[in-house]
Amino acid sequence: MHQTHPEIRPRPGLLDIPLYVGGESRLPGAGPVLKLSSNENPHGPSPRALAAYREAADRLALYPDSSHETLRRAIAEMHGLAPDRIICGNGSDEILTLLAQAYAGPGDEVIHTEHGFAMYPIAARAAGATPVAVPERDRRTDVDAILAACTVRTRLVYIANPNNPTGTMIGSDEVARLAAGLPPGAILMLDGAYAEYVDAPGFDAGRALVDGRDNVVMTRTFSKIHGLAGLRVGWGYGPDHIIAALMRLRGPFNVSLPALAAATEAIRDRDWVERCARLNARWRDWLAAELARAGVPSDPSHANFILARFPSPEIARACDAALRADGIIVRRVDGYGFPAALRITIGDEAACRRVAHSVARFMDQA
Ligand SMILES: *Cc1c(COP(=O)(O)O)cnc(C)c1O
């Protein structure tokens, strides 16, 4: 089958959108594979979330609650937010896509950073808008560069803080300066996919800005620290006027019944989240130090992965091949503008030890 048809054509530009490619999970012929390519939680979801999911199996004939009320209340309670200004989605991908659909169209510009999450330009293009990539400074979001790139056509600025795939972050004062400096009519979306991993004291993933301004939206996900990537649940928190628009655009049953049940328990299990964050920080810092010792440095990461930098693209590619030969899949990040780096998800202790061993042996021979 051909990918184009002589008469039946999608909207202009649609076929130019690059397909999002997820982290690989299989190796040809290999046995059990260690998948460290998609920043998934090696410890899985909270046992409470799993129990709720299994219990939901008895109710699969029923439609889910389209108001998401129970989940929104749980999120609001745990994070100290107003439940009416929360929107739940089929992953936070859906929320960021809805934002572009609602606020950007042909002729409009959507800003993301040079090494920002691949979904941002995809969401912009899907809405018919023009993505604008803004340079970073030493692999960190550069607020001045973003403000300088804003025009009267800027509708949306996507920032992940901490960012994927760099693992770096900027402080709340910098984020506030960005929100305050945007042109009228532009929205700042703060993607907090990795917010739970941040241990900087006083860190705020965006709540104060959302509460204090009318142009900021924060998104969060159940896919990372909550260990529910397979279920697809995320949420956004924003001012009334933006939530009202997104609510009209989302499908009424966009979050499934088992997903609502599991996510509600996951967010209530604070002990599980804290335990996963603690283990992640410990083994992330251990792995970063081991790789640095082997000649592979990385920026201090505030997330559940590190961006390991090799001396050259050739060496990064060869190390990727060596890891694969050892049954380990990490993420090549050429597409993110880092041909000499590999993004490695922090697994459990055994996984981190396997990676350190494999990389050190490779670097010894390289
Ligand atoms: C993983 C990730 C997400 C989460 O997407 P979901 O659709 O919620 O699974 C969002 N933003 C960034 C930057 C991510 O890395």
Side-chain angles (χ1 to χ4, degrees), residues 128-263:
T130 306
V132 176
V134 173
E136 295 170 7
R137 180 196 291 258
D138 299 329
R139 297 175 296 278
R140 287 175 87 228
T141 297
D142 183 342
V143 167
D144 291 312
I146 294 172
L147 292 176
C150 285
T151 73
V152 293
R153 290 181 297 278
T154 305
R155 293 287 168 269
L156 199 48
V157 176
Y158 287 124
I159 298 290
N161 200 39
N163 185 41
N164 170 16
T166 55
T168 61
M169 62 180 290
I170 57 173
S172 299
D173 45 344
E174 280 290 274
V175 178
R177 193 161 72 80
L178 175 57
L182 292 185
I187 295 169
L188 173 63
M189 194 201 90
L190 293 171
D191 182 337
Y194 301 98
E196 296 88 350
Y197 293 105
V198 176
D199 49 21
F203 172 73
D204 171 4
R207 183 185 112 190
L209 279 180
V210 173
D211 286 344
R213 306 190 54 89
D214 60 5
N215 67 341
V216 178
V217 177
M218 160 177 92
T219 59
R220 304 287 288 266
T221 183
F222 284 91
S223 300
K224 303 288 155 58
I225 207 158
H226 294 293
L228 293 171
L231 263 194
R232 314 302 307 127
V233 199
W235 53 279
Y237 182 61
D240 290 325
H241 69 102
I242 293 178
I243 298 301
L246 302 187
M247 284 294 188
R248 281 157 176 78
L249 210 47
R250 76 163 170 90
F253 305 113
N254 61 332
V255 185
S256 73
L257 184 145
L260 288 170

Side-chain angles (χ1 to χ4, degrees), residues 26-28 30 32-37 287 291 296 306 308 310 315-332 341-345 351-363 365:
R26 265 185 271 277
L27 289 175
V33 157
L34 179 54
K35 185 189 179 205
L36 302 174
S37 56
L287 180 62
L291 297 193
V296 183
I306 56 177
F310 291 82
I315 296 177
R317 260 198 302 278
C319 186
D320 181 49
L323 285 164
R324 282 165 179 270
D326 287 342
I328 303 168
I329 304 182
V330 301
R331 184 69 152 252
R332 292 271 300 275
L342 298 173
R343 192 194 69 192
I344 306 173
T345 300
C352 289
R353 290 191 184 280
R354 258 178 86 178
V355 169
H357 182 74
S358 186
V359 171
R361 197 179 48 186
F362 166 81
M363 291 300 286
Q365 293 159 1

